[in-house]
Amino acid sequence: VHTEVAVGVGCIISAGTIINHNAVIGEGCHLNCGTIVGARAIVPSCTKTDYGQIVRQIMVCEENRSG
């Protein structure tokens, strides 16, 4: 986890996940193993990423899945 990152309450950040600077992770997210979150990317609340998924710079992750 790099500098100036905001992580919401109740998140699970699995092993090998990289969160670059100035990223925002919403509440209740599960970032699976090997997820890469680019600089200034926004991951909306209750998002679950797949293994090795890349959330690109200044891209809002479209898919929200809970449970």
Side-chain angles (χ1 to χ4, degrees):
V1 178
H2 290 250
T3 60
E4 303 296 321
V5 169
V7 178
V9 175
C11 291
I12 299 169
I13 301 174
S14 297
T17 296
I18 298 170
I19 304 173
N20 213 332
H21 66 86
N22 300 99
V24 177
I25 312 301
E27 294 183 358
C29 290
H30 180 184
L31 305 182
N32 249 320
C33 297
T35 296
I36 299 172
V37 179
R40 296 181 297 282
I42 300 170
V43 180
S45 295
C46 299
T47 297
K48 182 177 187 285
T49 62
D50 289 326
Y51 296 96
Q53 183 174 345
I54 298 172
V55 180
R56 298 191 187 281
Q57 183 177 9
I58 312 177
M59 172 181 151
V60 177
C61 190
E62 297 288 332
E63 185 173 334
N64 284 338
R65 291 182 280 168
S66 56

